[in-house]
Amino acid sequence: KGMSSSERGRKLALFITRLVLPGCPPLGLETLKITDFQLHASTAKRYGLGAHRGRLNIQAGINENDFYDGAWCAGRNDLQQWIEVDARRLTRFTGVITQGRNSLWLSDWVTSYKVMVSNDSHTWVTVKNGSGDMIFEGNSEKEIPVLNELPVPMVARYIRINPQSWFDNGSICLRMEILGCPLPDPNNYYHRRNEMTTTDDLDFKHHNYKEMRQLMKVVNEMCPNITRIYNIGKSHQGLKLYAVEISDHPGEHEVGEPEFHYIAGAHGNEVLGRELLLLLLQFLCQEYLAQNARIVRLVEETRIHIVPSLNPDGYEKAYEGGSELGGWSLGRWTHDGIDINNNFPDLNTLLWEAEDRQNVPRKVPNHHIAIPEWFLSENATVAAETRAVIAWMEKIPFVLGGSLQGGELVVAYPYDMVRSAWKTQEHTPTPDDHVFRWLAYSYASTHRLMTDARRRVCHTEDFQKEEGTVNGASWHTVAGSLNDFSYLHTNCFELSIYVGCDKYPHESELPEEWENNRESLIVFMEQVHRGIKGLVRDLHGKGIPNAIISVEGVNHDIRTASDGDYWRLLNPGEYVVTAKAEGFTTSTKNCMVGYDMGATRCDFTLSKTNLARIREIMEKFGKQPVSLPARRPRLRGRKRRQRP
């Protein structure tokens, strides 16, 4: 309506062109599919600002040093500067996305640029706008990505960005991603080497909230006997925090069967973890139906809980921005601006201060540390999502859990908070450091890329010295992390699993990312069966809840669940294990943990103490037990009166 026939014709032609020629995916500067050797520039200020740093969303190091800075920056500020990508094969280029320099101190970005293409890197053709060179509008600040689509797709091997203007008080610096569809070339070695296919028939796409809920329903309908959908609470905006349980008896805790969980999306814009968990749901269901012996055993011997989106409010913001245009932080926080990752109570300080005080009247427990009262008050700055997770973890006796995050490729284990108050990085191990190292390595070593020594670092950190794992506090200190809270308040050993350099990869990357992580996701779940397990019962065979299980030489205890069953993650070896409970005698025995998968059975039977038995008998007959010390003087007084 109100449009000329020529205008309508042009819009229709554009619509048809987009149907026939859909938008091309990113070449992979952010995901590192494009190697450093494929990036070249006219000049660079220094090595740390070379062409290899000109990748969308790359982050600078804290010190912005020579090796890891936050962009490509030209050595001179003039119109002859450029940065180019060698796609290594003919590619239909369709667009360019740019950002400024990631820096805490400096403001550098390109405000306009030309685009050129070439087949031989010598003869260049500039993208035209009519008869003249087209000038593309760049950035107006350093972090928000700006997309420019080419007026007509250009087929070439090389593409070059030539800055024409930049922020007045800054320099020529940019980060970028190129959109392009590689043309078929079966003889291209690089294409064959980088090509990744999967044989799994899964739904490889990004799912918004409604689609996620629908997918869960489909999985539940496919596997009704082993799945259950429930929610652990609601987000700030009222969206349900959905969980899917996978078990041969969904809806109930089976005595002796360990509980495991995966969580993703605490940062709403770290989307890869969310999609990996949705893929895992489908995979477990399909493989169970196909009678895959490994998956059947896992489902029958473990109660698995999966929460794909802990921060759905944040995800919806990131989803609106999309895969490439959301930037590094859009949707990271909850709707009320809270970072769930460090919103849990800081129990570390409570424990460490108590340990440092020599004159404590009683020994401070090294586990199940109570949540401070201030944290429980309504006025505390605690997200609704955080409270939901705490209530969930207090209700279910989880043994092991993994929180999937993004933006890096490493597995981080606790503690996440440094013990020395004046330091920002310090190796701070838990008493179970050897167990945590093993758990982290079990994921990292089975991932296709994490332990690959040839792998390029995502941003600034090289985690190869610990083979794809890191102690959280030695990386960067975080107070109130889920990992530390889980370890100090519950029985659960929790780790943070960073599944990819790109927080929000393009849909076309999901099959490859699934292949990268599939084996690791399964292997990590299987570790819940490592160590010892058993029942703590009284002489009548009744389970004793909240009995304390101690391992000699490890200053961290765990407690039995409501039925008296327990699980204690341990590496192979021989351990002296003690079970104790209020009103019962203590029992100690040697428990051997082997190398084969499957926890060693180590049961305890506790008899009641004499005092507990007396109290029980007196209460049974409706009498309160007499306090023995108070009774003695009265008896002596009676005897004195009876003397002649």
Side-chain angles (χ1 to χ4, degrees):
K1 189 177 178 181
M3 213 184 285
S4 68
S5 58
S6 61
E7 209 171 358
R8 273 199 299 270
R10 185 176 58 79
K11 290 212 173 220
L12 182 60
L14 181 63
F15 177 68
I16 292 170
T17 302
R18 284 187 173 161
L19 281 179
V20 177
L21 299 172
C24 288
L27 288 189
L29 276 78
E30 186 175 5
T31 61
L32 308 183
K33 190 176 277 188
I34 295 294
T35 69
D36 288 353
F37 300 109
Q38 292 172 259
L39 296 167
H40 307 279
S42 50
T43 59
K45 264 189 179 171
R46 49 185 164 79
Y47 177 77
L49 293 167
H52 65 293
R53 302 297 292 175
R55 299 170 180 274
L56 196 72
N57 286 320
I58 206 160
Q59 302 295 293
I62 295 170
N63 301 318
E64 299 184 18
N65 57 35
D66 276 345
F67 294 102
Y68 301 116
D69 222 320
W72 160 68
C73 289
R76 300 186 301 273
N77 290 333
D78 59 45
L79 298 179
Q80 278 66 55
Q81 304 307 309
W82 49 262
I83 181 172
E84 72 182 39
V85 181
D86 176 5
R88 287 181 168 160
R89 59 188 292 193
L90 285 179
T91 300
R92 183 164 61 84
F93 297 115
T94 61
V96 176
I97 301 170
T98 57
Q99 266 174 324
R101 177 179 178 178
N102 175 247
S103 172
L104 292 171
W105 328 108
L106 300 167
S107 298
D108 296 318
W109 59 83
V110 169
T111 55
S112 69
Y113 58 88
K114 292 180 182 180
V115 176
M116 307 171 181
V117 295
S118 172
N119 285 329
D120 58 10
S121 81
H122 297 292
T123 305
W124 292 88
V125 174
T126 304
V127 173
K128 303 287 184 186
N129 183 13
S131 58
D133 295 347
M134 185 163 187
I135 305 291
F136 293 91
E137 190 173 332
N139 300 85
S140 56
E141 59 94 77
K142 55 190 168 189
E143 288 299 337
I144 298 175
V146 172
L147 165 67
N148 277 299
E149 293 180 325
L150 304 187
V152 176
M154 305 286 283
V155 175
R157 172 174 166 173
Y158 300 86
I159 186 167
R160 179 180 281 187
I161 310 304
N162 170 215
Q164 296 296 294
S165 61
W166 43 94
F167 179 57
D168 286 345
N169 299 320
S171 303
I172 296 177
C173 295
L174 63 80
R175 293 173 285 169
M176 67 176 182
E177 182 62 87
I178 304 296
L179 306 183
C181 297
L183 299 184
D185 182 3
N187 299 317
N188 189 305
Y189 162 74
Y190 294 104
H191 169 59
R192 292 201 311 276
R193 188 186 69 172
N194 291 331
E195 198 172 48
M196 170 59 66
T197 57
T198 181
T199 56
D200 296 326
D201 182 21
L202 307 173
D203 189 19
F204 293 105
K205 62 171 291 229
H206 286 297
H207 298 81
N208 62 23
Y209 184 78
K210 184 179 177 183
E211 291 165 338
M212 178 185 76
R213 177 69 182 87
Q214 185 59 35
L215 181 63
M216 289 177 172
K217 191 177 175 186
V218 168
V219 170
N220 180 232
E221 287 169 353
M222 279 177 64
C223 295
N225 297 330
I226 62 163
T227 61
R228 175 178 73 101
I229 303 170
Y230 66 103
N231 72 77
I232 67 170
K234 289 184 178 180
S235 72
H236 185 272
Q237 290 284 83
L239 297 177
K240 289 180 180 176
L241 307 176
Y242 283 113
V244 177
E245 177 193 337
I246 302 175
S247 165
D248 57 342
H249 291 92
E252 62 180 278
H253 170 71
E254 295 178 68
V255 177
E257 186 171 290
E259 309 250 5
F260 175 94
H261 72 250
Y262 271 131
I263 296 171
H267 291 154
N269 65 328
E270 291 170 14
V271 174
L272 179 55
R274 170 196 183 104
E275 294 306 330
L276 287 174
L277 292 189
L278 292 177
L279 291 166
L280 181 63
L281 285 177
Q282 301 169 64
F283 180 79
L284 292 175
C285 171
Q286 288 180 10
E287 294 300 303
Y288 184 86
L289 293 176
Q291 290 297 290
N292 177 328
R294 183 187 185 191
I295 300 303
V296 169
R297 185 168 61 250
L298 185 64
V299 170
E300 290 181 350
E301 295 178 0
T302 322
R303 191 176 179 213
I304 302 163
H305 304 255
I306 293 176
V307 178
S309 185
L310 188 57
N311 179 7
D313 298 349
Y315 175 81
E316 291 303 302
K317 286 183 188 173
Y319 187 78
E320 284 175 26
S323 169
E324 309 310 315
L325 300 180
W328 190 251
S329 59
L330 180 67
R332 175 186 175 91
W333 299 279
T334 62
H335 187 76
D336 48 344
I338 296 173
D339 186 339
I340 297 174
N341 260 18
N342 54 8
N343 191 225
F344 292 84
D346 168 17
L347 305 181
N348 305 56
T349 302
L350 294 177
L351 174 66
W352 295 336
E353 284 181 353
E355 286 179 350
D356 291 341
R357 287 198 305 266
Q358 297 300 316
N359 58 345
V360 284
R362 61 185 177 82
K363 191 179 178 187
V364 174
N366 59 22
H367 70 298
H368 283 241
I369 298 170
I371 296 173
E373 282 187 25
W374 66 264
F375 188 90
L376 300 171
S377 72
E378 285 186 19
N379 296 330
T381 308
V382 182
E385 297 86 347
T386 307
R387 294 192 191 277
V389 171
I390 292 174
W392 181 54
M393 296 192 75
E394 289 180 332
K395 182 180 177 185
I396 298 173
F398 290 116
V399 181
L400 178 62
S403 173
L404 270 56
Q405 299 180 45
E408 260 301 347
L409 205 51
V410 68
V411 182
Y413 54 90
Y415 288 121
D416 286 333
M417 181 179 174
V418 296
R419 187 155 186 163
S420 304
W422 60 91
K423 291 187 177 178
T424 57
Q425 291 176 304
E426 179 186 44
H427 184 73
T428 312
T430 66
D432 283 289
D433 192 52
H434 290 296
V435 178
F436 274 115
R437 282 174 181 269
W438 169 259
L439 293 169
Y441 185 67
S442 72
Y443 195 101
S445 62
T446 48
H447 189 280
R448 285 185 62 253
L449 296 174
M450 270 189 200
T451 53
D452 185 349
R454 299 163 300 172
R455 177 178 74 81
R456 183 199 187 283
V457 300
C458 288
H459 300 280
T460 64
E461 300 280 351
D462 185 355
F463 298 108
Q464 289 308 313
K465 60 183 179 292
E466 289 191 55
E467 298 189 287
T469 70
V470 68
N471 170 254
S474 70
W475 183 12
H476 54 256
T477 187
V478 174
S481 75
L482 172 58
N483 292 354
D484 291 3
F485 169 79
S486 297
Y487 185 67
L488 295 175
H489 184 68
T490 78
N491 288 339
C492 186
F493 284 38
E494 187 94 21
L495 291 86
S496 295
I497 301 167
Y498 292 81
V499 290
C501 303
D502 187 350
K503 290 184 177 185
Y504 195 159
H506 189 268
E507 216 160 73
S508 61
E509 300 288 337
L510 294 178
E512 182 169 351
E513 292 294 358
W514 168 246
E515 286 294 320
N516 288 344
N517 287 277
R518 178 185 56 199
E519 179 65 14
S520 305
L521 289 165
I522 298 165
V523 165
F524 188 70
M525 284 192 285
E526 291 172 334
Q527 303 313 305
V528 79
H529 297 284
R530 182 173 293 280
I532 60 173
K533 68 176 182 180
L535 280 164
V536 180
R537 291 173 285 203
D538 62 18
L539 292 173
H540 304 292
K542 186 180 177 184
I544 302 172
N546 283 318
I548 296 173
I549 305 295
S550 302
V551 178
E552 188 177 281
V554 183
N555 186 28
H556 182 79
D557 305 330
I558 60 146
R559 298 195 184 195
T560 56
S562 56
D563 297 304
D565 46 351
Y566 79 90
W567 307 262
R568 195 6 167 141
L569 295 174
L570 292 166
N571 286 349
E574 188 173 349
Y575 299 91
V576 178
V577 184
T578 300
K580 57 187 175 184
E582 192 175 344
F584 291 87
T585 56
T586 298
S587 176
T588 299
K589 59 171 64 175
N590 286 356
C591 303
M592 178 70 76
V593 177
Y595 285 89
D596 294 336
M597 190 57 72
T600 302
R601 190 73 189 247
C602 206
D603 295 331
F604 294 88
T605 301
L606 306 185
S607 56
K608 291 203 169 168
T609 60
N610 289 337
L611 183 60
R613 255 194 236 108
I614 290 168
R615 282 183 175 147
E616 195 175 68
I617 292 166
M618 297 294 282
E619 286 171 6
K620 188 175 181 181
F621 290 99
K623 296 179 180 178
Q624 290 298 316
V626 178
S627 174
L628 294 178
R631 187 173 170 79
R632 281 194 199 103
R634 286 202 296 271
L635 287 171
R636 280 200 297 271
R638 193 179 302 158
K639 284 177 183 175
R640 275 199 299 271
R641 283 195 300 273
Q642 288 172 354
R643 286 174 189 162

